[in-house]
Amino acid sequence: MNKTVLVTGGLGFIGSHTVLDLLANDYEVIIIDNLVNSHIEVLDHIATISGKKPLFFEADVRNEEVLNKIFKEYHIDAIIHFAGLKAVGESVKKPTLYYDVNINTTLALLKMMKKYNCHNIIFSSSATVYGESRELPFTENMNVGVGIKNPYGETKYINELLLKDFATSEDDMHVILLRYFNPIGAHKSGLLGEDPKDIPNNLMPYVLKVAVGELDHLTVFGDDYDTPDGTCIRDYIHVLDLAHGHVLALSKILGMKDKCEIYNLGTGKGSSVLEIVHAFNNVNHIKLPYVIGPRREGDAAMSFASIEKARKELGFEPIYTIEDACLDAFNFIKKHVGKE
Ligand code: NAD
Ligand code: UD1
């Protein structure tokens, strides 16, 4: 029988791409999402691309009444927990909201796992937990949690602690923590991607708003870092590769003996801000207007992953380049601009 996966936040950017990959791999998918940062149309787009419509519950993951209903009716083999709030700037202004949503969603799911005998949960963590570590590349066994600069990052770290403690204390409970680096790109169809409602903080969504003329220019935050071109280096991973990492992690967790495993999901390669701008210009035949501005507070000069553990234990191998991601993201935003 096909395994059933509950995907929280399954209509969001990474969740929707993961749902498609799960459906392509014959998993039964149930989505719970309260649409706080996504649109119901994504469900139709998933159906158009995959030919399958997953079961969908429009609800907050903290709503235990709805969770009880789902867990009572369906046997859930595993949970992939994407739902949460992710805007770094907003988390500084509304810390209690971020702690509430990002921690209490997980607590509610853990309660259901115990009550209904669900043994597996995969959690969306972030490279942000490496904090002020400067030893590169980041490996999973490094110390984390020191020098995290905002409540969003703290909630990721606290979730990691919570999930590890849960797995240790309970018999036969399995946790995989996936630390994402910088997801970019979109689905090749142009139907799924990321289009934040407000002025974005992250590089690629900002580049896209400039590319379609919604913002006048990009400000590159500092060109005086100790890097080859002076701009910061990050590990940008195509969302399709990242999504596939979840399918591999799921296959691992369903037969896992260990209680908790952690995997970095990046490409293992860093690109500078200017390399992203040039790649974007080259593949899309445009010239993005940009200016060099001051450094952004809290930015590290470089962040990139070691993905050796994911390679060895999950068979994870990213296949897309930053050029693919720039092409796919622009294709999505051109089709999407002015809608929703
Ligand atoms: P997203 O905002 O596009 O997706 C999150 C989804 O969760 C949205 O559809 C939203 O409506 C839903 N949601 C939020 N709170 C909810 C709640 N209480 N109940 C039900 N649904 C809720 O974000 P994303 O980029 O797809 O990120 C997915 C996860 O990965 C998040 O936990 C995020 O923190 C984490 N992450 C993202 C990045 C990134 O750069 N995108 C990097 C590292 C980690
Ligand atoms: C940021 C957050 C991090 C969070 C991650 C994913 C900060 C300090 N860090 O990381 O906590 O986990 O997003 O949500 O907010 N850049 C520009 N101009 C822009 C936007 C970005 O030059 O308008 C540069 C940044 O300086 C950085 C790179 O582009 O060097 C990538 O930035 P971003 O997409 O915000 O990701 P992170 O800095 O990795």
Side-chain angles (χ1 to χ4, degrees):
M1 229 185 46
N2 293 349
K3 300 281 186 192
T4 301
V5 188
L6 177 66
V7 182
T8 77
L11 297 190
F13 174 47
I14 307 169
S16 58
H17 290 85
T18 303
V19 165
L20 276 182
D21 207 332
L22 291 169
L23 293 172
N25 283 282
D26 291 329
Y27 287 100
E28 300 295 330
V29 175
I30 301 174
I31 298 174
I32 175 167
D33 196 308
N34 65 357
L35 305 180
V36 70
N37 198 34
S38 52
H39 298 279
I40 190 65
E41 290 74 13
V42 171
L43 194 60
D44 298 328
H45 297 326
I46 289 172
T48 306
I49 299 167
S50 68
K52 300 176 189 170
K53 198 157 188 170
L55 263 178
F56 173 64
F57 291 83
E58 182 179 340
D60 194 303
V61 177
R62 292 168 297 174
N63 182 336
E64 290 188 18
E65 212 178 297
V66 176
L67 288 187
N68 272 305
K69 195 172 153 222
I70 298 173
F71 278 82
K72 236 183 234 163
E73 194 162 345
Y74 304 95
H75 174 73
I76 308 291
D77 293 288
I79 301 168
I80 307 184
H81 181 27
F82 292 104
L85 300 176
K86 64 163 186 176
V88 171
E90 186 186 50
S91 79
V92 176
K93 293 193 190 106
K94 300 178 182 169
T96 52
L97 174 69
Y98 272 67
Y99 283 100
D100 182 356
V101 174
N102 290 0
I103 311 292
N104 285 325
T105 48
T106 308
L107 284 171
L109 292 169
L110 297 185
K111 206 190 234 184
M112 296 300 136
M113 287 173 72
K114 279 183 74 167
K115 192 165 167 191
Y116 296 97
N117 252 334
C118 167
H119 298 278
N120 305 296
I121 182 164
I122 297 174
F123 176 70
S124 302
S125 189
S126 163
T128 196
V129 301
Y130 288 107
E132 63 190 23
S133 297
R134 291 292 171 263
E135 213 179 300
L136 286 160
F138 293 143
T139 52
E140 292 85 348
N141 56 7
M142 284 169 64
N143 273 338
V144 293
V146 179
I148 296 174
K149 298 239 161 47
N150 52 72
Y152 163 76
E154 296 291 4
T155 67
K156 289 295 169 193
Y157 178 57
I158 292 168
N159 264 296
E160 287 205 358
L161 297 176
L162 166 62
L163 285 157
K164 266 190 248 179
D165 288 344
F166 174 76
T168 308
S169 68
E170 298 291 331
D171 283 339
D172 204 19
M173 287 292 184
H174 307 283
V175 167
I176 289 186
L177 306 173
L178 297 177
R179 292 182 181 152
Y180 311 154
F181 279 67
N182 293 62
I184 57 172
H187 193 262
K188 301 274 170 198
S189 62
L191 290 174
L192 300 178
E194 190 180 25
D195 183 14
K197 292 172 191 158
D198 302 324
I199 295 183
N201 296 308
N202 295 117
L203 179 62
M204 186 52 76
Y206 203 100
V207 161
L208 293 174
K209 296 234 179 244
V210 174
V212 294
E214 283 182 25
L215 295 169
D216 334 321
H217 64 271
L218 171 73
T219 302
V220 174
F221 297 144
D223 69 349
D224 58 350
Y225 286 95
D226 187 12
T227 60
D229 65 18
T231 66
C232 291
I233 289 182
R234 295 289 181 274
D235 186 339
Y236 296 94
I237 175 168
H238 197 297
V239 66
L240 291 172
D241 281 327
L242 183 62
H244 194 58
H246 292 76
V247 177
L248 297 170
L250 182 59
S251 148
K252 164 91 184 179
I253 206 170
L254 289 172
M256 194 161 99
K257 298 234 160 38
D258 294 323
K259 287 175 169 291
C260 179
E261 287 290 352
I262 307 176
Y263 297 100
N264 286 338
L265 294 183
T267 64
K269 288 190 271 299
S271 305
S272 74
V273 179
L274 287 180
E275 280 172 327
I276 293 289
V277 170
H278 296 143
F280 195 91
N281 285 344
N282 287 340
V283 290
N284 294 312
H285 312 291
I286 64 167
K287 199 163 185 293
L288 275 177
Y290 72 86
V291 298
I292 305 289
R295 292 180 176 198
R296 178 174 68 179
E297 205 190 313
D299 267 344
M302 289 202 267
S303 156
F304 54 90
S306 160
I307 57 164
E308 288 318 307
K309 187 173 177 217
R311 259 200 188 112
K312 204 164 131 224
E313 296 181 18
L314 303 179
F316 178 65
E317 197 56 67
I319 55 176
Y320 297 105
T321 61
I322 55 168
E323 283 78 11
D324 295 326
C326 290
L327 193 71
D328 296 339
F330 194 38
N331 176 41
F332 165 74
I333 208 77
K334 278 188 296 190
K335 290 195 175 154
H336 197 72
V337 76
K339 292 189 195 151
E340 283 161 9

